[in-house]
Amino acid sequence: MRAVFLGTGGTYPCTERNVASVAIQLTRDVALFDCGEGTQRQFMRSNISFMNTRWIFITHYHGDHFLGVPGLIQSMNLNDRKRPIDIYGPEGTIHLMSQLLTAGYFAPGFQITAHDVEPGDKAILDGFDVEVARADHTVPTLAYGLVEKERPGRFDTKKADELGVPKGPLYRKLQLGQEIKVGGRTIHPSDVLGPARQGRKVVYSGDTRPCRQVRDLALKADLLIHDATLLTKEGVMAADFGHSTPAEAAQIARDAGARALALIHFSPRYKGQKVLEEEAKEIFPNSFAPADLDEFVIRISDR
Amino acid sequence: MRAVFLGTGGTYPCTERNVASVAIQLTRDVALFDCGEGTQRQFMRSNISFMNTRWIFITHYHGDHFLGVPGLIQSMNLNDRKRPIDIYGPEGTIHLMSQLLTAGYFAPGFQITAHDVEPGDKAILDGFDVEVARADHTVPTLAYGLVEKERPGRFDTKKADELGVPKGPLYRKLQLGQEIKVGGRTIHPSDVLGPARQGRKVVYSGDTRPCRQVRDLALKADLLIHDATLLTKEGVMAADFGHSTPAEAAQIARDAGARALALIHFSPRYKGQKVLEEEAKEIFPNSFAPADLDEFVIRISDR
């Protein structure tokens, strides 16, 4: 599982950064969080195909977070997509998508399903769940937590050997949770597997002031991706516009017990992002401020 | 007057080319022809400010020609634009813009006026007229001819001297078409000015098969910017999708007696554009195939 930061800028694009979009590659399928204008071209510059996007999650309806949806969908169609796509967002998503995705002469040749979701909702998807929380911005905004399904426990080869299980296809059956018979004796998966391991968890805050809801959603997340629009030294500007500073994002990550923090949604005023990363690292050392197209691998941890 | 090719690609963007948009800088004001997704960021990479866009002309409602409008307008608003903007396009423009420009939480702080125009219409604008013709594409599509207003004739300093006009502010008055008095004698502008000189003319075809209407619109144009999506060797593909080849564009330029031809709307299949330029040059030597962000200065000619 990896996160590819397609656009790390906020408000409007600049030469250095495109607007909000983060792709989370699961298996081959990609879950896309926000989709600002130009996201399809950022995909083309990355090593992920935009055609692999299976789900899109929009946090809110400011232009820098959703105006790339119609172009992405139209290019999928021009490339003969047949697989369905699902688009999730706050109230109004179904209506807005019905307008955006029929603007001009466009009739998709594949199934597009828009979903209005609200804080507290949970979407059960293929291989993972998505939990929805309320963020704290100037307009209704959602944060999303992607939680991978539980993974089977570690396979104890020594125990399997003691029980007389031969190496090979029977190992796989046990790993998949199936009972097997060896020499007339039934062996249960629990005889050779350790406790189920928690799946990986990635949380995407959307635009937000630091808030309890995002902190709770990010509890023990492997990766928290959080708004860090403006440095603390810009005074109350971050608060005035419903955003966070790197220091505030770092406090949320620390309080949530997250493993890593990615800062995003940088104001176009900043050249580079080192100064934003440094502010966060003072509070939460495992912070990083990606450049556009940087990626971060989310490894399996033993917790 | 200069043309800046913000996006020379067609259908969908690729890493090398963005989708359709050409900026014509007049004085400080810019007339923008088409505005595909990502046009605002192309502006940011060019040496023209997107804030100077005063008029937008959309040829038709395929996504690669208009999906950049809402983002451009929203960024203008975030940068405190106060000047009005006018958006012209085929039937449905008023309705479509009312949807696109209110999508999500957006309320512009400056006046945006959308206009439905049709073939044969002429818009009288500040310093130039825009003539509208029907292009030949798969959906209703317009071509636009930007015609600079007549320029005053050349000032004959020798004649002015003979008539006793002193150098200085009186020259300017005559150039502006005002009568002056010198020693009790009335001097008319026509006494010192040659015949009025035709203004410059730039024609933008939109997506089109080669057609009579675009040829007529381009009569003696200083610059014809024409669809050249696919090479002739791709067989009937250009015709099937309502586009032109470089050879067809060159024939139109030659038949119209245009001074220069810019090819645009290249298929994403082409790396570079030299091969497209070469095909056109065989028929119309003053052809060129710009890369994104290339510019072309349209000089005053004495015709």
Side-chain angles (χ1 to χ4, degrees):
Chain A
M1 194 191 281
R2 61 179 173 144
V4 178
F5 298 89
L6 297 175
T8 61
T11 314
Y12 52 86
C14 57
T15 53
E16 187 182 329
R17 283 188 281 268
N18 204 46
V19 284
S21 190
V22 178
I24 307 290
Q25 182 158 39
L26 298 144
T27 47
R28 190 163 150 266
D29 286 342
V30 168
L32 189 66
F33 290 87
D34 282 331
C35 183
E37 182 184 355
T39 293
Q40 62 166 319
R41 201 168 179 211
Q42 295 295 95
F43 260 120
M44 292 167 187
R45 292 176 169 131
S46 79
N47 55 9
I48 303 189
S49 168
F50 65 92
M51 293 296 279
N52 291 344
T53 306
R54 177 63 188 81
W55 309 273
I56 301 176
F57 300 91
I58 304 293
T59 57
H60 66 297
Y61 289 108
H62 280 149
D64 54 329
H65 293 257
F66 77 99
L67 286 175
V69 172
L72 177 64
I73 296 289
Q74 294 197 19
S75 290
M76 286 173 170
N77 205 53
L78 286 162
N79 283 278
D80 291 327
R81 186 186 178 102
K82 296 292 169 234
R83 293 184 71 204
I85 195 165
D86 288 84
I87 305 174
Y88 299 82
E91 197 186 338
T93 295
I94 294 170
H95 174 70
L96 186 60
M97 290 301 153
S98 76
Q99 285 198 336
L100 280 182
L101 297 178
T102 55
Y105 298 94
F106 180 64
F110 60 100
Q111 198 186 319
I112 303 168
T113 311
H115 308 260
D116 287 8
V117 293
E118 53 183 54
D121 281 359
K122 190 172 185 171
I124 313 290
L125 301 173
D126 191 17
F128 66 97
D129 299 339
V130 168
E131 297 172 2
V132 183
R134 187 187 312 279
D136 177 11
H137 190 42
T138 55
V139 299
T141 300
L142 302 176
Y144 295 100
L146 184 160
V147 185
E148 198 182 22
K149 291 209 196 310
E150 263 193 352
R151 309 171 62 85
R154 286 188 181 279
F155 191 91
D156 189 334
T157 50
K158 202 176 148 206
K159 227 175 203 174
D161 196 42
E162 284 167 16
L163 293 170
V165 183
K167 272 184 194 158
L170 291 179
Y171 272 33
R172 180 86 188 128
K173 281 198 172 175
L174 287 164
Q175 281 169 325
L176 289 172
Q178 298 166 18
E179 292 181 356
I180 60 163
K181 290 216 172 200
V182 174
R185 186 173 157 205
T186 300
I187 298 175
H188 296 272
S190 59
D191 296 334
V192 294
L193 293 175
R197 289 172 293 178
Q198 210 182 330
R200 286 162 286 190
K201 180 174 177 181
V202 177
V203 170
Y204 181 85
S205 76
D207 288 3
T208 193
R209 292 285 306 135
C211 67
R212 184 180 48 74
Q213 306 92 283
V214 171
R215 184 203 61 200
D216 292 351
L217 186 68
L219 199 71
K220 295 188 187 303
D222 294 277
L223 176 63
L224 168 61
I225 303 167
H226 200 285
D227 178 341
T229 305
L230 289 156
L231 289 170
T232 300
K233 75 173 170 95
E234 316 291 356
V236 292
M237 275 184 65
D240 283 353
F241 293 104
H243 293 294
S244 299
T245 64
E248 288 168 336
Q251 282 154 16
I252 293 288
R254 186 190 58 195
D255 295 352
R259 291 180 63 215
L261 168 66
L263 308 171
I264 51 158
H265 204 267
F266 309 130
S267 162
R269 72 183 60 201
Y270 302 115
K271 298 289 162 224
Q273 59 272 356
K274 206 166 169 52
V275 65
L276 294 137
E277 184 170 288
E278 280 165 2
E279 179 174 308
K281 272 178 176 295
E282 282 187 21
I283 293 162
F284 185 77
N286 204 14
S287 301
F288 65 102
D292 276 18
L293 306 182
D294 278 358
E295 62 177 80
F296 179 84
V297 175
I298 303 138
R299 300 195 190 283
I300 299 163
S301 63
D302 280 309
R303 283 178 304 201
Chain B
M1 192 193 279
R2 61 176 173 145
V4 178
F5 298 90
L6 297 174
T8 62
T11 314
Y12 52 85
C14 57
T15 53
E16 185 181 330
R17 284 187 282 267
N18 205 43
V19 284
S21 191
V22 178
I24 307 289
Q25 182 158 40
L26 298 146
T27 48
R28 190 163 149 268
D29 286 342
V30 168
L32 189 67
F33 291 87
D34 282 330
C35 183
E37 181 183 357
T39 293
Q40 61 166 322
R41 201 169 180 211
Q42 294 295 94
F43 259 121
M44 292 166 184
R45 292 176 170 130
S46 79
N47 55 11
I48 303 189
S49 168
F50 66 91
M51 293 296 277
N52 291 344
T53 306
R54 176 63 189 81
W55 308 274
I56 301 176
F57 300 91
I58 303 292
T59 57
H60 67 294
Y61 290 108
H62 280 148
D64 54 328
H65 292 257
F66 77 99
L67 287 174
V69 172
L72 177 65
I73 296 288
Q74 294 197 18
S75 291
M76 286 173 170
N77 204 53
L78 287 161
N79 283 278
D80 290 327
R81 185 185 180 102
K82 296 293 170 234
R83 294 184 71 205
I85 196 165
D86 287 84
I87 305 175
Y88 299 82
E91 198 186 337
T93 296
I94 295 171
H95 175 71
L96 187 60
M97 291 301 154
S98 76
Q99 286 197 336
L100 279 183
L101 298 177
T102 55
Y105 298 94
F106 180 63
F110 61 101
Q111 198 185 320
I112 302 167
T113 311
H115 308 261
D116 287 9
V117 293
E118 54 184 53
D121 280 0
K122 190 173 185 173
I124 314 289
L125 302 173
D126 193 15
F128 66 97
D129 301 339
V130 169
E131 297 171 2
V132 183
R134 187 188 312 281
D136 178 10
H137 190 43
T138 54
V139 299
T141 299
L142 302 176
Y144 295 100
L146 184 159
V147 184
E148 199 183 20
K149 291 208 196 310
E150 263 193 354
R151 309 171 63 87
R154 286 186 181 280
F155 192 89
D156 189 334
T157 49
K158 204 177 146 204
K159 229 175 204 170
D161 195 41
E162 285 166 13
L163 293 169
V165 184
K167 272 184 191 160
L170 292 180
Y171 271 34
R172 180 86 187 128
K173 280 197 171 174
L174 287 163
Q175 281 170 325
L176 289 172
Q178 297 165 19
E179 291 179 356
I180 59 163
K181 289 216 175 201
V182 174
R185 185 171 157 204
T186 301
I187 296 174
H188 296 274
S190 62
D191 296 335
V192 295
L193 292 175
R197 288 172 294 179
Q198 210 183 332
R200 284 163 286 190
K201 181 174 175 180
V202 177
V203 169
Y204 180 86
S205 76
D207 288 3
T208 193
R209 291 287 304 136
C211 67
R212 185 181 47 76
Q213 305 91 286
V214 171
R215 183 203 61 198
D216 291 351
L217 186 69
L219 198 70
K220 292 187 188 304
D222 293 279
L223 176 63
L224 168 61
I225 303 166
H226 200 286
D227 177 341
T229 304
L230 289 158
L231 289 171
T232 300
K233 75 175 170 95
E234 315 293 356
V236 293
M237 275 185 66
D240 283 354
F241 293 105
H243 293 295
S244 299
T245 65
E248 288 167 337
Q251 282 153 14
I252 293 288
R254 186 188 59 192
D255 295 350
R259 290 180 63 215
L261 169 66
L263 308 170
I264 52 159
H265 205 267
F266 309 131
S267 162
R269 74 181 59 200
Y270 301 117
K271 297 291 161 224
Q273 60 273 355
K274 208 166 167 52
V275 64
L276 296 137
E277 186 172 285
E278 280 165 2
E279 179 174 312
K281 271 179 179 290
E282 283 189 21
I283 291 161
F284 186 76
N286 204 14
S287 301
F288 65 102
D292 276 18
L293 306 181
D294 277 358
E295 63 177 78
F296 179 83
V297 176
I298 302 139
R299 300 195 190 285
I300 299 165
S301 64
D302 280 309
R303 281 178 305 195

